[in-house]
Amino acid sequence: MSAGTLVAWLKKPGDSVKRGDIIAEVETDKAAIEVEIFTSGVIEKLLVQPGEKVPVGTVLAIIREEGKAVEPGRLRISPSAKQLAAELGVDPASVRGTGPDGAISRADIEAVARRARDKGLETIGEEPVRPLAPSPAPLAPAAETAAKRQARMRQAIAAAMARSKREIPHYYLSTTIDMGRAMAWLSEKNRKRPIQSRLLYGVLLIKAVAVALREVPELNAVWKGNQAVQSQAIHVGVAISLRQGGLVAPALHDTDRQSLDQLMTNFLDLVKRARAGSLRSSELSDPTITVTSLGEQGVETVFGVIYPPQVALVGFGKMMDRPWVAEGKIVPRPIMTATLSADHRVSDGHRGGLFLAAVDRLLQDPSQL
Amino acid sequence: MTPNLTTDEIKSLILRILGEIAPEADLASIKPDISFRDQLDIDSVDFLNFAIALHEELRVEIPEADYPKLATLNGCIEYLTAQRQTSQR
């Protein structure tokens, strides 16, 4: 995702807003998203008009923080650019913004970081975001046909996947997991619950991946500016197929810290909103790893393509009753294959193997999850 | 409990719920003895939402172990009719 078209403002100058509020709707190549804010205050100025297409990281509005007067010389920087500055070690105060009213964009931060590095060093990370340019002829999202939107999404997926295969040296590991204990535990848990509170086994898989990442944190990272930047938080992106075709992989924030019940509620909500086209901006930008499950399509093993700038993807295949040797006897067990696709610039097979072993171990005792 | 429903009314209800879950589905062409999953693009989340909607509309209990009985249109009608009769006793 490199650009988006502002569809509508949900707030106007003078409105009070608080952290987490949705203030605008944006149409991107991959999905319609809701733009949330990360600070409380008062909307001072809207900088982009509905219909304008702008690069990711463009400052959309100025928000005056609560209790603070307007400061003429104050830095104007988007949360996304601020985060990037922290990741790349750039002091925003030293950056001259090229956006409206001198606002600092991701492109400005990247430009400074690039200049600071050795000249001629190839940037392998995310494609640089261009500075805010005079807006092109505005698109009218509502007038676009579903087919056009689908074609744009396909193009976005094509660009990301081609870049992934071009830049990321993938390696693949797989392991076979006996899901018998996990399914028995889940069945017992669900037996006592009303239908609205039952858990899907997919939630166990997501949580197992998140908890296993604590043991192999280098897989929970993004590749930025020619190096891996480990994320402190674990935000698992879950691949969700869309009804009109295509897919998105929005984040379940702080996945490892959510209970299974919270995860289930949030997962159902995420699927619903993904298919309704109302994901939030942070959900699309924050995943630190992706989980995809194609078992329901009958797939036995998934060899996934890593979604840049992430450095790993975990795939789960179909659960099938298979002959399995347990305590010296051949018994039928529900078996599933878990596969890790990982970036060899960032991790090695040994660490990847430890990660898959941790996923397996956690699924043998789901009460730990 | 909703009033007594005929088989056709239960069938209409099932198809309406399916239509809400998978709006792109051609419900008129559903084959009654073939699994929904083999005819429609639905996944486990859709199926759970389907079962929850049936439970809420018809006020019948649907244990997880019985989910396979909801796999086809005819299976659904048969199961839900039986569950409603059991609940009314």
Side-chain angles (χ1 to χ4, degrees):
Chain A
M1 184 170 72
S2 61
T5 301
L6 184 78
V7 176
W9 282 111
L10 305 178
K11 301 286 181 186
K12 59 183 186 308
D15 283 354
S16 291
V17 289
K18 62 181 188 306
R19 183 184 168 85
D21 278 357
I22 307 298
I23 63 166
E25 292 171 356
V26 169
E27 179 90 9
T28 72
D29 289 341
K30 295 211 71 178
I33 57 173
E34 295 176 335
V35 178
E36 65 202 295
I37 56 164
F38 300 91
T39 185
S40 299
V42 175
I43 303 264
E44 193 178 312
K45 192 174 181 183
L46 304 179
L47 302 175
V48 176
Q49 297 307 308
E52 269 189 79
K53 187 175 185 179
V54 293
V56 169
T58 298
V59 179
L60 299 177
I62 305 292
I63 295 168
R64 189 172 74 245
E65 286 182 53
E66 275 171 349
K68 289 191 180 175
V70 182
E71 300 166 34
R74 193 167 141 250
L75 276 183
R76 297 182 190 283
I77 182 168
S78 70
S80 156
K82 200 171 182 177
Q83 185 188 351
L84 183 63
E87 286 169 1
L88 298 180
V90 173
D91 176 10
S94 68
V95 179
R96 186 176 170 191
T98 59
D101 294 338
I104 299 167
S105 67
R106 288 171 62 93
D108 297 325
I109 298 293
E110 284 177 337
V112 169
R114 214 164 29 242
R115 280 198 294 276
R117 287 197 301 269
D118 292 340
K119 283 185 180 176
L121 195 66
E122 187 187 2
T123 299
I124 305 178
E126 198 167 23
E127 189 181 320
V129 180
R130 290 174 187 79
L132 188 65
S135 62
L139 289 173
E144 278 194 321
T145 63
K148 275 187 181 172
R149 272 200 297 276
Q150 195 179 337
R152 281 197 298 123
M153 173 179 278
R154 202 64 252 166
Q155 284 176 344
I157 293 171
M161 295 298 98
R163 181 182 149 208
S164 176
K165 280 290 185 176
R166 194 170 58 241
E167 296 178 355
I168 300 176
H170 287 62
Y171 70 89
Y172 306 94
L173 303 173
S174 77
T175 191
T176 310
I177 298 176
D178 174 3
M179 289 292 288
R181 289 190 188 90
M183 295 309 288
W185 181 87
L186 192 65
S187 180
E188 182 58 21
K189 196 102 176 157
N190 282 344
R191 198 173 57 79
K192 301 170 189 162
R193 293 172 164 230
I195 192 167
Q196 295 92 338
S197 306
R198 290 178 196 156
L199 302 171
L200 293 172
Y201 76 82
V203 169
L204 297 185
L205 304 180
I206 293 167
K207 183 75 185 282
V209 166
V211 175
L213 283 171
R214 290 180 188 155
E215 296 180 30
V216 189
E218 59 265 47
L219 296 177
N220 186 57
V222 290
W223 184 264
K224 294 265 187 186
N226 216 21
Q227 63 180 350
V229 180
Q230 243 177 59
S231 172
Q232 295 304 309
I234 295 172
H235 303 315
V236 173
V238 286
I240 299 170
S241 60
L242 303 180
R243 299 217 165 275
Q244 63 272 30
L247 67 106
V248 289
L252 283 163
H253 286 106
D254 298 311
T255 321
D256 60 320
R257 293 161 67 177
Q258 295 189 43
S259 68
L260 289 172
D261 286 326
Q262 287 171 323
L263 265 183
M264 183 67 199
T265 301
N266 292 333
F267 175 59
L268 290 180
D269 177 56
L270 200 66
V271 172
K272 186 178 174 187
R273 287 189 294 105
R275 290 176 174 164
S278 57
L279 290 171
R280 292 173 193 140
S281 46
S282 60
E283 288 164 343
L284 286 173
S285 62
D286 288 354
T288 51
I289 191 168
T290 295
V291 168
T292 183
S293 175
L294 293 171
E296 292 184 43
Q297 284 71 43
V299 171
E300 290 187 26
T301 309
V302 180
F303 300 98
V305 181
I306 300 166
Y307 203 96
Q310 295 164 38
V311 300
L313 176 145
V314 183
F316 291 99
K318 184 181 183 180
M319 200 182 329
M320 292 180 287
D321 280 345
R322 288 271 172 89
W324 190 260
V325 178
E327 296 171 3
K329 291 180 183 169
I330 299 175
V331 290
R333 305 289 284 177
I335 302 301
M336 172 184 276
T337 300
T339 310
L340 171 71
S341 308
D343 185 336
H344 222 325
R345 295 171 300 183
V346 180
S347 65
D348 302 314
H350 176 69
R351 298 291 290 165
L354 289 176
F355 168 77
L356 284 180
V359 171
D360 187 352
R361 192 186 68 240
L362 288 161
L363 288 169
Q364 300 314 311
D365 184 6
S367 61
Q368 296 176 66
L369 295 173
Chain B
M1 174 69 69
T2 47
N4 285 337
L5 296 178
T6 64
T7 299
D8 280 347
E9 286 169 331
I10 291 178
K11 180 181 173 184
S12 297
L13 177 73
I14 293 166
L15 292 176
R16 176 173 64 75
I17 293 170
L18 276 178
E20 289 166 3
I21 287 169
E24 76 288 352
D26 177 10
L27 300 177
S29 67
I30 284 186
K31 296 182 178 66
D33 287 316
I34 306 285
S35 161
F36 292 132
R37 290 205 188 195
D38 290 340
Q39 304 181 73
L40 306 172
D41 184 15
I42 59 173
D43 57 21
S44 54
V45 170
D46 296 322
F47 189 81
L48 179 61
N49 286 330
F50 174 60
I52 290 172
L54 290 174
H55 161 76
E56 290 176 346
E57 293 267 2
L58 295 170
R59 311 311 304 169
V60 293
E61 291 306 319
I62 307 176
E64 191 180 42
D66 288 349
Y67 286 176
K69 296 175 181 170
L70 302 175
T72 66
L73 182 56
N74 278 348
C76 257
I77 294 169
E78 191 179 328
Y79 176 78
L80 294 169
T81 304
Q83 286 297 91
R84 281 174 58 79
Q85 285 169 353
T86 305
S87 305
Q88 283 170 337
R89 275 181 203 142

